[in-house]
Amino acid sequence: MKALLIAVLAAAVGTPAYAQHAGHTMPMQAPAADPHAGHDMNAKPAPAPQPDPHAGHDTGTATPASPPAAADPHAGHDMGTMQPAAPAGPTDPHAGHGMGTMQPAAPASPADPHGGHGMGPEAGPAPVLPEAPPPPAAFSGPRHAADMLFDPSDMARAREDLRVEQGGATNYRVMVDQLEARIHDGRDGYLWDAQGWYGGDIDKLWIKTEGEGSFGEKTEEAEVQALWSRAITPWFDFQAGIRYDFRPDPERGHLVLGLQGLVPYEFEVDAAAFVSDEGDVSARFEAEYDLLITQRLILQPRAEVNLAAQEVRELGIGSGINDIELGLRLRYEFAREFAPYVGVEWERKLGETADFARDEGEGVDDLFFVTGVRIWF
Amino acid sequence: MRKSSSILDRRAFLAGTAAIGGAAVFAPLLPAWAQSGTRGLKPDMPTLSGEDIALRIGHSPFTVGGRTGQAVTINGTVPAPLIRLREGQNVRIAVTNTLEEDTSIHWHGVLLPFQMDGVPGVSFPGIRPGETFVYEFPIRHAGTFWYHSHSGLQEQLGHYGPLIFDPAGADPVAYDREHVLVLSDWSFMNPHTMLRKLKAMGDYFNRQQLTVAGLFRTGDPEQQMPLSERLMWDRMRMDPTDIADITGTTYTYLINGHGPQENWTGLFRPGERVRLRVINASAMTVFNVRIPGLPITIVQADGNNVRPVKVDEFQISVAETYDAIVEPADDRAYTIVAESVDRSGMGRGTLAPRMGMTAAVPPLRPRPTLGMDDMGMAGMGHGSMGGMDHGSMSGMDHGAMAAMGQSGGMTGMGMGDMNMRDESLAPPDMKVGVGVDMIAMNPQDSVGKPGLGLANVGHKVLVYTDLVALEPNPDPRPPSRSLEIHLTGNMERFMWSFDGRQFSEVVEPIRFARNERVRVTLVNDTMMQHPIHLHGHFFEVVNGHPGHHPMKHTVNVLPGSKITFDLTADNPGDWAFHCHLLFHMHAGMFNVVTVRPLDGGPA
C-alpha cells in the first residue's frame, strides 16, 4: 500500500513534466519519448542539407534550374570533409567551379546571369557555402585587441562588467498571490499564500509561505519553505529545500522536492513532495490559470490536492488523498502589481482524513466567500 | 513607476519649476534643430562641427506630456546635439563624464578604428566619472548616422543624438531643405525597474492581450482568430499578441524629443524637395512611419545611398536610419505618423508651411497578431509544400507533417503534434537549453516581407528587396564560407541569446580573418523581431540585387525568419555584435566579433 502511494506521489510530482511532453512532443526533455528516435541523427551536423548549388555551377551554364536532387554530385560527400580540417589548405570550395564567372563583372546589368542564383527570397534555394571554421589568421594576434592600447587591468574590469550586464543580472520578485479574508457563517478566517524569489535566470533562492486561521483564534496552519530553484527546461524549475510548519502543533520540518512552472495551455503548476522529520511522506499539487475577461479583469480558477503516504493521526491526516480545494477568484488589476479580488473557495476532505474529521465532529466540506488582494513588487 | 523618494522629490520640484516656467524652461532643453517650428538644418544653425568638439554627459530634467523626469543627456538635451562633419576630415571629440557612473559614446554605423568605437569592455575601458575621453578618428564616408551610450541602460534615458557626415563631393541626393527626425521612446520608469518587471512577468507591459471580451467586440483580432488557434497558442505557452516587450503603457513616443501633444513641427515651402533624415534611436520600439497624403521616396538606408524608391509607409527597426525625400506641393500641413509596431501608441509630428498648422492625426490601426510565419512555419500546412525547402525538413516528425497537410491550416489539431523545439534542427554548436523555447522549423528569408502587421495595409510598404545600392558593392569576391547564427530566446523567462548562449555565460567570440568574405545567415528562432547590429562594418544584405546589395549596419530579422548578409571583415579589432533592442542585449543577446590579424593599421 505504501509503495503504491509513493508511486502515486511520484506520478503527481511528475505530472507537469508529463503534461509538458504530451502537448509538445519535446524530445529534449524526454529522450525516451523522442519522436525522432528513429531518425538518423548523424544527419544533424550537416547544416540543413539542401539542394547542392554547385550542381548548377558545374554545368558551366549560368542556369541554376532546379538541381535534380538525385543527381547531386555531393550527395555522397561527408559534409565534414568539406570543413577544412587543416584550415591552411584550400578553403575555397568553389576553387574548382570556375568561380570567375560568378563574379558580377557587370553587376548592374539587367541581364545578370546570376539573377537566378537564388540570391533573393523568391529565386529558389539560396546557395549553400560550406560552414567552415575561420581560417587560421582569424586566431592570430592578441585575445583582446583593446589590451594593446589600454591598461589591461582596466579592460579586464570593463570586460567583466560587460559580461555580467549582458545576461547575468540578478533580479527578484515578491508575489503575494492571495491575502484574503474568508467569510464563513460564524467562523470568518484569513489566508495568505506568498512567494518570493531572488537570483539569476537559472538559479534562484525561492521562499514560499502560506497559512490560514480564524479571526480571534490561534493560527491553524503556517508554513515557510526555503528552496533552491534551478531552471531545467524552458518552462520548468526544479526546486529542493526545506519546509517548516510553525502550525499546527507539533511543529515539523520537512525536506522538499518539487517542480514549478508552466504546462501547455498556460496553467501554472507547482508540485512538491515532502518528507517530514518523522519520516512521513506527503505531496501537494497546485494549478492555476489566468483567464482574461478584459485586459484588467481576470478570472483565476485554482485547484489544490494534498496527499499523504501514511496517516499522521495527531494532525488528523489519513493516508491517500487528504483533501481537494477548488477556488475561483475574479480580480481587477488597477495596476499589474495591485489587484483586489472576490471569489469562492470550496474545500473537501477525503478518505481517512474525512473520517478523522467526522470523528472529531468537524465537517468534511466547506464553502467560503473570499475577498482579498493580489500584490507583487 | 516607483522610484526612490529622493528622485520623486526632485521630480516634484522640477515639475513645479516647469509649471511656473512653462515654455521658457522647455525650449532651451532642445537643440536648435530639434525645436518645434524649425526651418530645417541651416549652415548658420548652432551645430557641432569642425575638428574639435566637446561633449558633456550628465543628468538633466526632461519634460514631456506635462511631466518631468530625470534624463541622461549630452550637453543637457534630449536628443543630444547634432554633430555634422564632412567626409575626409578628422575629428577630435572630447567626452566628459559628469555622471556618478561610467559612460560611453558609440558612433553608430561609423567606420573607425576599433578603439574609438566606444563599447566598454570591447573597444575601450569606458569613461569613468569625472574623466574625459578623447575620441579621434577620420571621417571616411558620408551619410546619416547617430550616436548613443553603450553603458548600462543609459540609452533608454535620453543618451542619443544624430550624426551627419556630408559627402566630400557632390551629394547624389538633391534637396532644398532638410529635417532630422530622431524617433525614440521615453518612460518615466527607471530602466532597471523595466528590466526587472520583464524578468518577473514577461507580459507586464502588454495590455493588448487576447481576452474573452474581445470575442464579442467588432474589429478585434480575437474575432478573426478561431478558438482552436487561440488554444494552440495557449498550448505552446506563447502569446500571439507579444509584438513588443515594452509598449505605450509606459512609453511616450518622441519625435525630436517631442511627445505627440507637443507636436514637433518642421517647416517647408510648398514645392520644395524636403530631405528627412529619419533615425530610430529607440531603446525598444520599432516604428511604422508614414505621412498621410505624401509619398515618401527612400534614398538612403543606414547611411548608404540607395536607388530612389517610392513608398507610402516604411517600417524602421531600432537603430536603423532611412533618408527620404518628400515633395509637399500644397499649402497645407501633413502629419508625420510614427506608429509603434504593436500599435500601442505613436510618435506624431507635423510638416507645415507655417507654425501652428496641423493635419488630421489618424487613429491607431488595429494591432497585429503573430501567425504561422512568425513561428518559423512559413508555408507549412497551407498546401504549398512544393515551395518548401525540404532540406531543412529532415528533422521533422513526418507523421505530424502529414496530419498538418490534411488539416490544411493553422488549427489546434494540426499544430498540437508539431514539435516547436526540434533539437535536430539546431546546428551542432548551438546550445539548446533553458534559454531556447523554440527552434524555427522552416525559417524563410524575410527580405521580401513587409514588417509585422504591414502585409495588408492597402498601400506600398518598403521591403528590404526594394533597397538597391546606388554604388556597386565595393567587394565583388564571392564569400568563401558561410556562418549560421541563431537568434534564440525564452519569452517566458525573458532570456535572449545567440546560438542559445547568453553573453554572460562566457562565450567564444565570432572570429573572422581580416579581409575574409563570409556569408552570414541569421536564423530567428524566436517569435520576436530582432534588429541585429554589427559594429565597425557595413554588410551587404543578400536581397536579390547581387553587386548592388544594400549596405547596412543593422538588419531586422522577422520572427521565425532568416536574413543573409555578406560581410567583408576589413576592419581589424574587436567589435560588438548584438540585438539593438536594448533589453534584449541586456538579457544576453550580445557577442564580440574579432577581426585578425591587427597589424598593418586600419584597412
Side-chain angles (χ1 to χ4, degrees):
Chain A
M1 177 63 186
K2 195 161 178 170
L4 177 73
L5 270 166
I6 288 171
V8 168
L9 292 173
V13 173
T15 297
Y18 167 73
Q20 192 175 17
H21 301 309
H24 226 116
T25 64
M26 301 185 70
M28 70 301 303
Q29 284 147 7
D34 187 354
H36 308 286
H39 287 223
D40 180 9
M41 296 304 279
N42 292 332
K44 179 177 166 184
Q50 290 172 8
D52 180 53
H54 305 296
H57 299 175
D58 285 341
T59 64
T61 77
T63 326
S66 50
D72 181 351
H74 296 271
H77 285 214
D78 175 3
M79 285 305 281
T81 63
M82 293 289 281
Q83 299 183 2
T91 55
D92 184 359
H94 302 277
H97 288 275
M99 288 306 288
T101 63
M102 286 290 289
Q103 296 185 11
S109 163
D112 183 355
H114 308 287
H117 269 262
M119 309 298 273
E122 299 92 6
V128 178
L129 289 160
E131 258 218 68
F139 294 86
S140 66
R143 177 89 171 84
H144 304 293
D147 283 3
M148 312 292 286
L149 297 153
F150 301 97
D151 182 340
S153 65
D154 286 350
M155 280 308 299
R157 173 191 60 81
R159 257 197 310 278
E160 180 57 14
D161 289 351
L162 180 78
R163 184 189 70 77
V164 172
E165 271 188 356
Q166 320 306 325
T170 302
N171 289 288
Y172 67 90
R173 183 181 85 175
V174 175
M175 166 71 81
V176 183
D177 200 27
Q178 294 167 46
L179 182 63
E180 67 192 26
R182 313 189 122 196
I183 294 126
H184 189 272
D185 45 298
R187 199 160 53 83
D188 294 348
Y190 56 88
L191 175 141
W192 77 86
D193 188 342
Q195 305 193 356
W197 56 255
Y198 172 86
D201 292 327
I202 304 297
D203 293 297
K204 292 180 171 75
L205 169 67
W206 207 296
I207 305 289
K208 302 180 183 180
T209 177
E210 60 179 79
E212 60 180 285
S214 298
F215 290 118
E217 291 176 28
K218 218 170 168 185
T219 303
E220 285 158 33
E221 290 176 20
E223 67 168 57
V224 176
Q225 296 181 34
L227 308 166
W228 162 63
S229 180
R230 183 171 176 83
I232 52 167
T233 82
W235 294 279
F236 266 87
D237 291 347
F238 166 80
Q239 298 177 335
I242 52 166
R243 161 183 152 193
Y244 197 81
D245 298 354
F246 295 93
R247 293 278 185 283
D249 281 331
E251 298 183 14
R252 265 183 169 68
H254 306 257
L255 292 176
V256 186
L257 279 182
L259 280 173
Q260 184 167 1
L262 196 64
V263 292
Y265 296 106
E266 304 263 12
F267 283 87
E268 280 188 40
V269 301
D270 184 355
F274 308 99
V275 183
S276 79
D277 47 18
E278 303 282 320
D280 301 322
V281 178
S282 61
R284 184 186 294 159
F285 178 80
E286 298 173 57
E288 59 184 49
Y289 180 78
D290 277 355
L291 180 67
L292 274 66
I293 309 296
T294 71
Q295 299 298 333
R296 291 175 185 274
L297 189 65
I298 297 164
L299 186 67
Q300 185 195 61
R302 187 177 174 283
E304 178 175 332
V305 180
N306 285 287
L307 308 96
Q310 63 292 298
E311 63 171 62
V312 185
R313 196 67 201 244
E314 54 186 336
L315 297 177
I317 293 171
S319 69
I321 297 176
N322 305 136
D323 56 57
I324 178 166
E325 298 169 17
L326 297 173
L328 198 58
R329 287 170 179 75
L330 184 67
R331 70 173 188 266
Y332 187 82
E333 290 189 350
F334 285 98
R336 281 264 188 246
E337 297 84 349
F338 179 78
Y341 62 80
V342 293
V344 291
E345 178 90 12
W346 179 73
E347 295 179 2
R348 176 77 160 87
K349 291 186 173 71
L350 298 166
E352 285 183 5
T353 309
D355 295 340
F356 294 149
R358 286 190 195 97
D359 292 349
E360 299 289 325
E362 294 172 11
V364 294
D365 63 357
D366 262 322
L367 181 68
F368 306 98
F369 290 97
V370 301
T371 181
V373 64
R374 179 185 195 253
I375 303 168
W376 68 272
F377 53 88
Chain B
M1 300 291 174
R2 288 167 188 78
K3 297 237 184 129
S4 74
S5 58
S6 67
I7 291 177
L8 270 176
D9 293 343
R10 203 181 313 162
R11 193 194 298 146
F13 166 72
L14 288 165
T17 327
I20 297 161
V25 172
F26 184 66
L29 298 179
L30 281 164
W33 64 270
Q35 283 175 26
S36 193
T38 175
R39 295 176 185 283
L41 307 185
K42 288 277 168 58
D44 59 351
M45 187 175 273
T47 299
L48 296 177
S49 58
E51 301 241 314
D52 282 288
I53 289 171
L55 300 176
R56 276 178 93 77
I57 297 172
H59 283 293
S60 309
F62 174 72
T63 302
V64 67
R67 196 171 161 199
T68 300
Q70 194 74 350
V72 173
T73 54
I74 303 168
N75 290 6
T77 65
V78 177
L82 170 67
I83 299 179
R84 186 157 199 162
L85 305 170
R86 186 166 289 277
E87 184 183 8
Q89 75 161 90
N90 287 301
V91 69
R92 276 175 302 278
I93 307 175
V95 180
T96 301
N97 180 10
T98 71
L99 301 171
E100 278 132 35
E101 60 184 24
D102 285 16
T103 191
S104 56
I105 292 181
H106 162 60
W107 314 98
H108 187 106
V110 179
L111 303 180
L112 35 60
F114 77 88
Q115 66 271 25
M116 295 296 153
D117 193 50
V119 181
V122 178
S123 28
F124 79 139
I127 311 173
R128 312 218 73 171
E131 282 184 359
T132 298
F133 182 84
V134 181
Y135 291 88
E136 187 168 7
F137 51 91
I139 308 304
R140 294 165 46 191
H141 53 116
T144 302
F145 303 96
W146 62 297
Y147 62 104
H148 62 84
S149 172
H150 230 287
S151 299
L153 298 170
Q154 292 167 0
E155 195 190 326
Q156 176 71 84
L157 289 164
H159 186 310
Y160 47 79
L163 192 58
I164 298 175
F165 297 164
D166 288 307
D171 195 326
V173 180
Y175 54 93
D176 305 309
R177 186 190 293 270
E178 58 182 327
H179 288 292
V180 175
L181 299 179
V182 173
L183 313 180
S184 62
D185 45 23
W186 171 266
S187 171
F188 288 97
M189 191 186 288
N190 179 296
H192 291 97
T193 306
M194 294 163 95
L195 180 60
R196 196 175 64 74
K197 299 286 187 195
L198 287 168
K199 289 278 187 185
M201 193 175 277
D203 58 1
Y204 180 86
F205 296 99
N206 185 1
R207 287 290 192 191
Q208 300 192 94
Q209 289 169 294
L210 296 180
T211 64
V212 175
L215 287 168
F216 305 100
R217 220 164 29 218
T218 50
D220 265 304
E222 278 98 332
Q223 282 210 316
Q224 293 141 33
M225 189 179 283
L227 199 60
S228 59
E229 195 177 320
R230 294 181 73 165
L231 285 171
M232 176 208 69
W233 284 101
D234 268 5
R235 181 179 212 152
M236 293 191 303
R237 290 163 282 194
M238 300 283 182
D239 181 354
T241 71
D242 194 359
I243 306 291
D245 291 313
I246 304 181
T247 68
T249 59
T250 187
Y251 276 150
T252 304
Y253 300 106
L254 307 181
I255 295 183
N256 292 342
H258 294 68
Q261 296 161 295
E262 281 89 11
N263 186 28
W264 176 87
T265 301
L267 301 183
F268 69 88
R269 249 189 231 115
E272 284 179 328
R273 279 172 64 88
V274 181
R275 179 177 192 160
L276 304 175
R277 298 177 181 268
V278 189
I279 298 162
N280 188 350
S282 293
M284 290 295 283
T285 307
V286 177
F287 287 106
N288 300 325
V289 180
R290 67 193 201 273
I291 307 175
L294 213 49
I296 298 167
T297 303
I298 302 291
V299 293
Q300 191 182 92
D302 287 7
N304 291 289
N305 292 321
V306 294
R307 291 183 195 162
V309 52
K310 193 174 274 194
V311 299
D312 297 303
E313 180 168 9
F314 62 96
Q315 189 165 89
I316 182 167
S317 197
V318 175
E320 290 185 313
T321 72
Y322 283 110
D323 281 30
I325 296 288
V326 293
E327 299 179 79
D330 302 330
D331 186 50
R332 56 159 281 202
Y334 298 88
T335 297
I336 303 167
V337 180
E339 180 187 63
S340 74
V341 67
D342 70 325
R343 321 267 164 97
S344 62
M346 68 164 73
R348 173 237 181 168
T350 298
L351 289 177
R354 288 173 300 283
M355 206 37 199
M357 293 174 76
T358 56
V361 180
L364 289 166
R365 297 174 292 190
R367 76 194 194 284
T369 49
L370 298 172
M372 198 85 163
D373 291 9
D374 309 307
M375 292 188 287
M377 296 193 203
M380 297 172 75
H382 290 285
S384 61
M385 304 292 286
M388 271 181 59
D389 180 356
H390 289 275
S392 64
M393 301 288 294
S394 58
M396 272 187 60
D397 182 336
H398 293 280
M401 276 302 295
M404 201 171 61
Q406 281 157 18
S407 71
M410 192 161 118
T411 66
M413 286 302 288
M415 299 304 304
D417 299 330
M418 300 299 296
N419 183 359
M420 295 294 296
R421 193 170 171 271
D422 184 348
E423 273 186 276
S424 70
L425 296 177
D429 57 343
M430 177 168 147
K431 174 183 163 189
V432 186
V434 169
V436 178
D437 65 11
M438 177 185 126
I439 297 169
M441 218 175 280
N442 185 35
Q444 296 296 298
D445 198 314
S446 65
V447 285
K449 285 202 283 184
L452 271 175
L454 295 180
N456 299 302
V457 289
H459 56 217
K460 169 64 186 167
V461 177
L462 183 77
V463 293
Y464 279 155
T465 40
D466 291 329
L467 300 176
V468 183
L470 195 64
E471 299 295 320
N473 293 149
D475 189 347
R477 295 175 299 159
S480 58
R481 66 179 174 110
S482 70
L483 177 65
E484 191 173 282
I485 298 172
H486 284 246
L487 320 181
T488 46
N490 181 327
M491 317 253 276
E492 187 68 25
R493 299 183 189 273
F494 204 74
M495 295 168 70
W496 301 100
S497 52
F498 289 125
D499 287 333
R501 289 180 192 85
Q502 292 168 295
F503 185 66
S504 53
E505 292 178 48
V506 187
V507 296
E508 274 294 296
I510 299 164
R511 298 174 198 273
F512 295 113
R514 190 165 173 188
N515 292 324
E516 178 185 23
R517 200 150 156 78
V518 182
R519 170 157 293 186
V520 179
T521 298
L522 304 173
V523 180
N524 188 349
D525 283 332
T526 80
M527 288 197 212
M528 302 213 90
Q529 55 192 331
H530 302 284
I532 303 297
H533 173 46
L534 172 62
H535 289 218
H537 296 79
F538 291 109
F539 46 74
E540 299 141 42
V541 178
V542 176
N543 70 342
H545 303 290
H548 284 263
H549 288 139
M551 308 283 289
K552 292 186 102 269
H553 50 58
T554 306
V555 67
N556 195 54
V557 191
L558 291 175
S561 303
K562 61 183 178 182
I563 289 264
T564 296
F565 63 77
D566 287 347
L567 171 73
T568 300
D570 58 2
N571 206 348
D574 292 352
W575 305 98
F577 173 74
H578 59 95
C579 177
H580 219 287
L581 298 176
L582 183 64
F583 294 94
H584 285 194
M585 176 175 83
H586 222 72
M589 209 175 209
F590 182 97
N591 203 352
V592 174
V593 159
T594 65
V595 179
R596 298 285 189 281
L598 297 177
D599 6 298

